[in-house]
Amino acid sequence: MFGISPLGWVHTLGSLPAIPVAFYMFARYGRIVPRSTAGAIYLVSMLIGAFTVFLVTHVPVGNVIGAVTIVLLVAGYAVGWVPGLGRAGRYIETVCLSLTAFLLMLPTVTEILRRVPDGHPLVTELDAPLLLGAQGSLLAALVIGLGAQIVHLRRSAARIPL
């Protein structure tokens, strides 16, 4: 179904929980919160997807996205344990983890448009206007979302005295 191999299904189903969990955290907290139950689910699901992409991708950019995602996940989850960063740690954590959500959604949207409906996909070429528009919309959401997150973090920090 959809031309996905059994290993591809492991990759897809393993990383799938990260999508609703990310949306939940963005809606509830305005960002991905690593030290929460949802944050732990997000981490495990993202790591499954990021590591298995190396086994299923047929294009070099897939390997790059997987590697960058792993680096950003490690940075985003580890920065909270680095002493002495203060408020900067929260900004680094937020930016890194928001970028992982973008790197999750970019190939997800691309693959959905290139595979659905089964046998007659909406997009057959990587330069199709629908695909480029969807990817551009994701980029716009990232830029606007990161801007809003940073403004929110700054306002929250202004209310908390050092």
Side-chain angles (χ1 to χ4, degrees), residues 11-12 14-23 26 32 42 45-46 49-50 65 69 97-112 138:
H11 165 76
T12 300
S15 59
L16 187 62
I19 296 171
V21 169
F23 282 121
F26 283 132
I32 294 174
Y42 182 79
S45 184
M46 287 295 290
I65 289 174
T69 299
L97 296 179
S98 292
L99 286 171
T100 66
F102 172 75
L103 292 176
L104 168 67
M105 292 310 299
L106 191 62
T108 299
V109 166
T110 301
E111 288 299 308
I112 288 171
L138 287 173

Side-chain angles (χ1 to χ4, degrees), residues 123-141:
V123 171
T124 56
E125 301 294 327
L126 290 175
D127 61 350
L130 177 61
L131 179 57
L132 295 176
Q135 291 171 337
S137 296
L138 287 173
L139 181 60

Side-chain angles (χ1 to χ4, degrees), residues 22 25-26 29-36 38-40 42-43 46 68-83 85-102 142 145-146 149-150 152-153 156:
M25 287 189 285
F26 283 132
Y29 307 110
R31 63 191 195 86
I32 294 174
V33 180
R35 285 163 293 288
S36 66
Y42 182 79
L43 175 64
M46 287 295 290
V68 171
T69 299
I70 292 167
V71 169
L72 290 170
L73 279 169
V74 169
Y77 277 80
V79 72
W81 301 99
V82 176
L85 287 179
R87 293 180 186 154
R90 183 67 51 98
Y91 289 97
I92 294 167
E93 175 182 282
T94 299
V95 170
C96 286
L97 296 179
S98 292
L99 286 171
T100 66
F102 172 75
L142 172 68
L146 274 177
Q149 289 174 319
I150 290 169
H152 177 73
L153 287 173
S156 297

